[in-house]
Amino acid sequence: MHIIESGNVAAANGVKLANVKVIAAYPITPQTPLTEKLSEFVDAGEMDAQYIPVESEHSALSVCIAASSTGSRAFTATSANGLLYMNEQLHWAAGARLPIVMCVVNRGIGSPWTVWNDHQDAISQRDTGWIQLYCCDHQQIIDTVIQAFYLAETVSVPVMVCYDGYILSHTYMPFEIPKQADVDKFLPSFKPEYALNPNQPANLNTVTLPDVRPDVRGDMAPGYMEIRHNLHADMRDAIDVVGDIDKKFNQIFGRGENPYIETYRCDAAEFVAVCLGSLSYHLRDVVDILREEGIPVGVAGLRLYRPFPDQAIRDMLADLKGVIVFEKALSYGNQGALFADIKAALYSSKNRPKVHNYILGLGGREIKTAHLVDALRNSCVDTDKVGDTPVWIGLKM
Amino acid sequence: MKKEKFGCRISHSEPGPGDGGRTGSWRVKRPVIDLEKCIPAKTKKAACFTCWLFCPDGVITKTIPPTIDYEYCKGCEICAQECPVGAITMVEETVFITEEK
Ligand code: SF4
Ligand code: SF4
């Protein structure tokens, strides 16, 4: 069934179709309509789930951690400072290997207060051990939420599904709601890897010592370093799992085939603009204009940010003349986080391209197509003109 | 998922002595039960066992008389504090080291 609705409603429908059993969330703009929709579903009996109201985001994720630890499929959602308030529990959920799924409706973080969109919230949490997926439109939001549970539960790593506040969360777009029977065929039921079991009482996530130690049966149990190593190793393996899940999804629903990077006019391109989220669709217009001018440029939107799909990045960008990274976030005192990641991925390539960095749209600052055209043209016409430091677009000073 | 060295991906422990490692090596003072005072030892009845109940390491046996596994007793002194008749005294480990020498 196709409907015209907001991105938040698309996400809520994905959660409903995924048969989530426990939802705990604290409302925060621009995530609020998503949680409101979910509470409506539960109240109307359309979802067989527990909706647990909490007094904070820290508690929201704590409830999800507890629910997931008993083997229930759990979901939460937040934005901006709400995500930051979860920070301690984000690390905990990842280390405890709990496959919680969370929508992060991207918003700039305070101070100063802003309710508008940028990516600083999710980017600042990139090293928590969560998988991060980014969406460009409403269809991707609902599809990605469903896939996220599959992914999280396959690798026992929690997943953030990130989408732009307002630009996607509050705008209306047509999208297809998959059939429940198809989703049930796609998404296996949740069999937790690590859950509390009254028949075998245990403490989960107990204190570790610097070294490994024998457990109660005399077998060697992993220490802190082994557990952290395995989280990293499983995150790296998750890159292939994302590809496999995309294939299966494509077979059933006929959508997908771009699990890592979604490209537009990258055929015979010498320059490619790279970004996260809905900005990549905005950049399609920009690329169309520059292609008219004869500039061989395309755009690539990253769908997977953590784990970082560096091989796919190299395959796509290693032999270009220029890569131009547009970012709505910044590693303060250094450069754009995505910019640094892209450069690191390309460093070992022989003919590595010039890489430029533009910072834009912070706190919802309007992103004008004309500004994007100028910036991208500048970077393509003379690759030496723009240096290695980030250039700010739309800054009024 | 590949499971290289360890099957379990998280830190996890089950009740029983030794799941925190060789905790006996932490001990500075050793709890010693005075069987003249200990209720089950004295009465030959399965009674009291307060020490068994409170020991956080589960290293005291519920037997007549109760015994302590010094391999894992970490010397926390809870048993000595809880014993209703003061049958457990904490003795400096150095005493035993001197004895062993
Ligand atoms: S001191 Fe007593 S309570 Fe503490 S670990 Fe040793 S036996 Fe158990
Ligand atoms: S608590 Fe004291 S009296 Fe009771 S069993 Fe233990 S040592 Fe004996």
Side-chain angles (χ1 to χ4, degrees):
Chain A
M1 180 179 65
H2 283 80
I3 63 166
I4 298 176
E5 254 297 351
S6 71
N8 278 330
V9 169
N13 274 285
V15 174
K16 181 176 158 209
L17 286 164
N19 252 316
V20 168
K21 289 294 169 225
V22 174
I23 300 158
Y26 188 81
I28 183 169
T29 301
Q31 158 263 39
T32 307
L34 159 56
T35 51
E36 283 172 349
K37 194 76 203 167
L38 287 171
S39 71
E40 272 172 43
F41 283 152
V42 174
D43 187 51
E46 290 174 47
M47 255 187 106
D48 178 23
Q50 291 288 322
Y51 189 101
I52 301 176
V54 284
E55 87 295 356
S56 77
E57 287 86 358
H58 189 279
S59 300
L61 191 50
S62 303
V63 166
C64 288
I65 286 170
S68 195
S69 299
T70 65
S72 298
R73 192 173 273 166
F75 175 84
T76 185
T78 190
S79 297
N81 290 54
L83 181 65
L84 308 189
Y85 196 15
M86 288 180 177
N87 173 274
E88 180 216 9
Q89 298 296 75
L90 291 175
H91 285 277
W92 192 272
R97 306 301 297 271
L98 298 170
I100 298 160
V101 171
M102 160 160 62
C103 280
V104 176
V105 188
N106 295 118
R107 159 181 157 182
I109 54 185
S111 78
W113 278 123
T114 173
V115 294
W116 285 275
N117 166 250
D118 70 37
H119 290 159
Q120 195 68 40
D121 53 359
I123 293 296
S124 75
Q125 303 304 310
R126 67 168 187 184
D127 296 333
T128 51
W130 282 58
I131 293 170
Q132 285 196 356
L133 302 166
Y134 285 79
C135 307
C136 302
D137 65 19
H138 294 23
Q139 190 66 60
Q140 277 183 9
I141 293 173
I142 186 168
D143 291 353
T144 306
V145 165
I146 295 164
Q147 291 167 341
F149 285 100
Y150 200 160
L151 174 60
E153 290 163 17
T154 306
V155 296
S156 295
V157 177
V159 177
M160 290 182 200
V161 177
C162 307
Y163 57 91
D164 289 305
Y166 293 116
I167 300 169
L168 295 179
S169 68
H170 284 63
T171 55
Y172 282 58
M173 244 189 240
F175 59 90
E176 190 193 352
I177 297 185
K179 285 198 202 72
Q180 185 68 58
D182 287 340
V183 175
D184 293 344
K185 202 160 62 177
F186 169 74
L187 182 63
S189 58
F190 176 32
K191 290 187 196 71
E193 189 85 17
Y194 309 109
L196 293 166
N197 175 3
N199 297 323
Q200 202 182 344
N203 274 338
L204 303 183
N205 312 301
T206 44
V207 69
T208 48
L209 301 174
D211 208 349
V212 296
R213 59 171 176 80
D215 68 12
V216 72
R217 278 183 221 87
D219 298 331
M220 212 38 98
Y224 186 84
M225 202 143 155
E226 287 70 29
I227 288 167
R228 288 282 144 179
H229 165 272
N230 289 344
L231 173 61
H232 175 67
D234 289 345
M235 285 277 274
R236 295 304 297 172
D237 288 350
I239 298 176
D240 285 342
V241 177
V242 168
D244 295 343
I245 288 173
D246 176 75
K247 273 196 204 91
K248 188 174 173 190
F249 190 87
N250 185 250
Q251 276 164 13
I252 296 174
F253 301 98
R255 285 188 296 274
E257 291 188 308
N258 297 302
Y260 309 119
I261 307 171
E262 205 180 20
T263 58
Y264 178 73
R265 296 189 82 168
C266 283
D267 38 296
E270 293 175 8
F271 303 92
V272 167
V274 180
C275 66
L276 295 167
S278 63
L279 181 60
S280 73
Y281 282 15
H282 192 173
L283 278 162
R284 290 180 176 195
D285 292 341
V286 177
V287 160
D288 284 342
I289 293 167
L290 293 177
R291 282 268 181 180
E292 290 268 304
E293 296 177 14
I295 299 173
V297 61
V299 56
L302 247 69
R303 302 269 291 111
L304 177 67
Y305 178 58
R306 279 295 178 275
F308 197 59
D310 44 346
Q311 190 54 52
I313 298 274
R314 274 190 292 278
D315 291 347
M316 146 137 269
L317 307 174
D319 294 317
L320 299 174
K321 278 193 187 151
V323 173
I324 303 94
V325 185
F326 289 88
E327 277 186 87
K328 295 181 183 178
L330 186 57
S331 176
Y332 285 91
N334 190 25
Q335 53 194 200
L338 179 60
F339 176 54
D341 290 335
I342 298 264
K343 281 196 296 185
L346 294 174
Y347 187 73
S348 56
S349 313
K350 236 197 261 141
N351 310 313
R352 55 176 185 265
K354 284 267 190 242
V355 191
H356 296 161
N357 194 195
Y358 291 100
I359 305 296
L360 74 176
L362 301 189
R365 176 61 54 88
E366 189 184 0
I367 299 171
K368 295 210 160 98
T369 304
H371 288 167
L372 292 174
V373 170
D374 287 346
L376 196 49
R377 191 197 288 114
N378 266 344
S379 281
C380 298
V381 169
D382 185 355
T383 51
D384 290 325
K385 207 162 112 189
V386 182
D388 196 44
T389 45
V391 177
W392 293 61
I393 296 179
L395 189 67
K396 298 195 173 160
M397 60 186 285
Chain B
M1 289 274 84
K2 277 179 283 176
K3 304 235 154 128
E4 290 98 53
K5 189 137 181 236
F6 296 104
C8 190
R9 304 307 238 192
I10 62 167
S11 157
H12 160 273
S13 67
E14 287 169 46
D19 210 5
R22 283 251 156 83
T23 39
S25 68
W26 303 2
R27 199 173 56 242
V28 181
K29 286 183 179 176
R30 179 184 299 195
V32 177
I33 304 176
D34 180 352
L35 300 182
E36 305 276 301
K37 288 189 190 165
C38 167
I39 296 164
K42 228 166 60 179
T43 62
K44 307 272 182 284
K45 282 195 184 117
C48 185
F49 297 123
T50 309
C51 52
W52 164 84
L53 184 67
F54 275 89
C55 174
D57 274 357
V59 298
I60 303 180
T61 57
K62 201 178 175 184
T63 51
I64 304 168
T67 61
I68 299 174
D69 185 345
Y70 294 119
E71 187 77 5
Y72 298 111
C73 160
K74 64 188 172 195
C76 68
E77 210 176 324
I78 290 174
C79 53
Q81 293 289 333
E82 295 297 335
C83 174
V85 294
I88 302 177
T89 40
M90 301 302 290
V91 184
E92 293 280 350
E93 276 299 319
T94 47
V95 172
F96 300 99
I97 294 169
T98 322
E99 269 176 22
E100 276 160 27
K101 272 187 186 161

